[in-house]
Amino acid sequence: MGYLAGEFDVIVIGAGHAGCESALAAARMGCETLLLTINLDMVAFMPCNPSIGGPAKGHVVREIDALGGEMGRNIDKTFIQMRMLNTGKGPAVHALRAQADKFLYQHYMKKTIEETEHLTLRQGMAEELIVEDGRCVGIVTKTGAEYRAKAVVVTTGTYLRGKIIMGELIYESGPNNQQPSVRLAQSLKDNGLELVRFKTGTPPRVHRDTIDFSKTEIQPGDENPKFFSYETEYSDNEQLPCWLTYTSETTHKIINDNLHRAPMFSGVIEGTGPRYCPSIEDKIVRFADKPKHQIFLEPEGRHTSEYYVQGLSTSMPEDVQLDILRSIPGLEKVEMMRNGYAIEYDAVIPTQLWPSLETKAVDGLFTAGQINGTSGYEEAGGQGIIAGINAARKVQGKEPVIIGRSQGYIGVMIDDLVTKGTNDPYRLLTSRAEYRLLLRHDNADLRLTPLGYEIGLISEARYAKFVKKKELVEAEVERLRTLKVKPEEANPILEAAGSAAITQTVDMLSLLRRPEIAYTMLESIAETPDELSEEMKEQVEISVKYAGYIEKQLLQVERLNKMERKLIPDDIVYEEVKGLASEARQKLGQIRPLSIGQASRIGGVTPADISILLVYLEHYNRVTAARGS
């Protein structure tokens, strides 16, 4: 028999990267929140690579921070290496990536959760949703504890009916040999949600003292590291290097000779794996012409000898894994501490969600993270904060927050998931964003901090600091516009930079527009205001140099926003819209887009279908207005 164990505003199931952001957001917005996890020792655990950030993913971490989330602050406290990637390319693709001390990362996230008001952290296995009159009002755990709530967020990661696969060995398990969640998957199905089977994997871990680093290339962190959180101003974290090596001909031969034992190719694995993070056996088969592949050796923390073998994700049998490792330069005598493995799990087909991440089937039930078909801690965290915000707003009787595609990578990701769905574990890439120049690493605060403040996740002090920064950047652009410089002052600098000399007085802004002239070069001509930080100077430079491109993208955004503002009423019956292609009718009925903008991005819906829909809506709105009058 069950018993009533507690009543809350919001319950979050799962304390991975999505669950932590979800629960923290809801609690910080004043909702009494329960965060339930199978194992308290696994809060914010990193079952795969011990890192945060990278292309597109780093942007998401900045966006989480700009909204008032925790991931950026936490990695800034616990990083063991920080590097800005793609610095040779334009600012749209600059991406910060940190190696984490994975154990410290967990420790600090758990500590933050335990010390947050309105947030209760508890160990327990959620097995059943309580749904009354189509609304989720609580959960029941394995021990019979019943928790009641006004909204529930499910963030189960790869635990739903998890199955570990390693060669011929197959057993039910969550990641890292944790208990899987089995009965909750059935409860989701019973309540009308359709599930799909996905797969991901992880490489072996090896002992540091058995690596010959002299045969590898050192990969140090940045000398003057930047940070993920806008609140971090300084860090004295000592950085540890990573190391680069490559697969060899022998590696490829071992894999090819053992493909008959590879679950990927023997038909053992049912789930669809991540296209952009393939296993080493998949890479060798797909890219047979490549003589070698990069392998990065990454420390898992300061106080452990475990090294993560990035690029060697595999589900090969244990003996083959060891042979593969020892065929790689620098790893000839390596000892394996943990095997690599593949894990299969259930995920929700994400087109069953509204853009708020609430399920269409059950009112008050939200899902976030890998259960929605994504891969990666950052993608999970980005969805988690939005689901937590919207669960809290549901409880508070407020409209949901929806991030647009032009506002953030979080918006791009959620729109892709709920509008197009995904056939394999979804990974964010910069190429998925059509407004990359607007969604830069440096300006996440300009895009999202006002929203975080309005929601109640950004403090007064932090918002005041943000406003001050914005004013200083704008004032500096204006100062450069009005500051004149004579040829005799400017030409020595221009000549040194290989830039054409000037023959008459010009304003500093004109000089900064030149691609070869950096803001720092102009500082020797005219003193910079003391209050301008390095981050502010970078923002000034980008806004000046890319002003024309940014303006073009803003015009495109305005056109998109017109389509987004054309809302589609809930009660449209697409079967009644004459002229729609049958595929469009089926897809529109299934996804039920909120706007013409969203409808236009559904696969199988053509521009001709959108034109027909616009005409129908005009007629529909006229008839509705006439009835109302």
Side-chain angles (χ1 to χ4, degrees), residues 191-260:
N191 284 290
L193 286 160
E194 200 182 333
L195 305 182
V196 67
R197 199 81 174 142
F198 277 172
K199 174 206 87 91
T200 187
T202 190
R205 272 59 157 187
V206 298
H207 198 294
R208 176 188 55 214
D209 297 346
T210 62
I211 300 169
D212 182 352
F213 291 107
S214 68
K215 294 183 179 177
T216 66
E217 298 167 38
I218 193 166
Q219 305 283 301
D222 291 343
E223 211 170 301
N224 299 304
K226 295 194 171 179
F227 305 111
F228 280 104
S229 175
Y230 287 93
E231 293 186 293
T232 309
E233 292 175 357
Y234 167 78
S235 170
D236 58 1
N237 288 11
E238 182 198 344
Q239 298 200 58
L240 302 180
C242 296
W243 305 84
L244 171 64
T245 181
Y246 295 87
T247 57
S248 65
E249 268 185 48
T250 310
T251 314
H252 297 211
K253 185 176 186 315
I254 292 166
I255 290 168
N256 282 318
D257 287 352
N258 285 280
L259 284 180
H260 62 287

Side-chain angles (χ1 to χ4, degrees), residues 471-548:
E471 287 168 354
L472 283 169
V473 169
E474 287 166 0
E476 179 60 3
V477 171
E478 202 44 49
R479 185 183 79 95
L480 294 175
R481 195 189 311 281
T482 55
L483 201 62
K484 304 295 179 187
V485 57
K486 294 173 183 171
E488 58 267 28
E489 295 171 308
N491 284 340
I493 289 157
L494 297 177
E495 194 181 324
S499 192
I502 56 172
T503 55
Q504 58 191 42
T505 300
V506 298
D507 60 77
M508 296 273 270
L509 205 70
S510 304
L511 295 183
L512 188 54
R513 282 197 189 108
R514 297 184 178 196
E516 63 276 10
I517 300 300
Y519 181 92
T520 47
M521 296 174 186
L522 303 181
E523 290 185 279
S524 57
I525 301 174
E527 242 176 78
T528 304
D530 290 340
E531 290 175 293
L532 276 186
S533 66
E534 291 306 311
E535 199 176 64
M536 292 178 205
K537 291 173 190 176
E538 179 191 30
Q539 221 158 59
V540 168
E541 186 167 332
I542 291 169
S543 65
V544 170
K545 282 195 189 303
Y546 295 91

Side-chain angles (χ1 to χ4, degrees), residues 67-127:
L67 285 166
E70 198 60 33
M71 188 176 263
R73 282 190 285 247
N74 205 52
I75 187 62
D76 286 350
K77 285 180 210 161
T78 59
F79 74 89
I80 53 178
Q81 187 187 105
M82 194 75 83
R83 285 183 84 180
M84 184 65 83
L85 309 178
N86 299 334
T87 49
K89 299 176 182 176
V93 292
H94 288 180
L96 196 58
R97 184 176 188 267
Q99 288 299 133
D101 184 318
K102 67 189 283 183
F103 309 102
L104 263 188
Y105 187 93
Q106 280 183 269
H107 168 75
Y108 276 108
M109 188 65 88
K110 183 167 181 268
K111 185 172 186 282
T112 299
I113 286 164
E114 287 170 342
E115 292 172 357
T116 296
E117 271 188 86
H118 308 297
L119 182 48
T120 302
L121 177 62
R122 201 161 286 174
Q123 184 165 295
M125 169 87 77
E127 292 208 324

